Amino acid sequence: MGNIEDVVGSLEHKIGKVLHNLELLKLANLKLNEELEVTKQEILTQKKHLANWEEKYEALKMTNAILGSDDNKRETKLKINALIRDIDHCIGQLSE
C-alpha cells in the first residue's frame, strides 16, 4: 500500500509542478502579447512618420527642380504634365 501512496503522491507533486508551469507560461504569454501590441503601435507610428518624411522629401525635390535645380527637372516636368492631364480629364468629365 505504501508503494501506491508514494506513486499517487509523486503524481500529485508532478501535476502541481505542471500546473504551476502552465500558469507561469500563461503569464509570460500575456506579457509577450502586450509587448507585441505595443511594438505594433510603434511600427505604425514609425510608418506614419516615414510616409510624412517621404512626402516632405518629394515636395523638396520638386521645389528644387522648380527653383532651377538640374537634378530633378525631368521628373518635375513629368509630374506637372501628369497633373495637367489629370486636370484636363476632370474638366472633360465635368463638361459631360
Side-chain angles (χ1 to χ4, degrees), residues 41-66:
Q41 291 301 319
E42 288 174 358
I43 289 172
L44 285 175
T45 302
Q46 292 298 324
K47 283 183 179 180
K48 288 178 184 176
H49 286 301
L50 178 62
N52 187 22
W53 282 110
E54 286 174 345
E55 203 174 288
K56 287 180 181 181
Y57 175 69
E58 289 300 319
L60 181 62
K61 278 186 2 183
M62 188 174 294
T63 303
N64 284 337
I66 290 172

Side-chain angles (χ1 to χ4, degrees), residues 14-62:
K14 288 179 182 178
I15 289 172
K17 278 186 173 180
V18 168
L19 291 175
H20 178 70
N21 286 340
L22 177 64
E23 287 301 314
L24 292 177
L25 289 173
K26 282 182 181 179
L27 291 174
N29 189 29
L30 183 63
K31 182 180 176 186
L32 288 173
N33 281 331
E34 289 172 358
E35 289 176 9
L36 179 62
E37 288 303 315
V38 168
T39 304
K40 283 181 181 179
Q41 291 301 319
E42 288 174 358
I43 289 172
L44 285 175
T45 302
Q46 292 298 324
K47 283 183 179 180
K48 288 178 184 176
H49 286 301
L50 178 62
N52 187 22
W53 282 110
E54 286 174 345
E55 203 174 288
K56 287 180 181 181
Y57 175 69
E58 289 300 319
L60 181 62
K61 278 186 2 183
M62 188 174 294

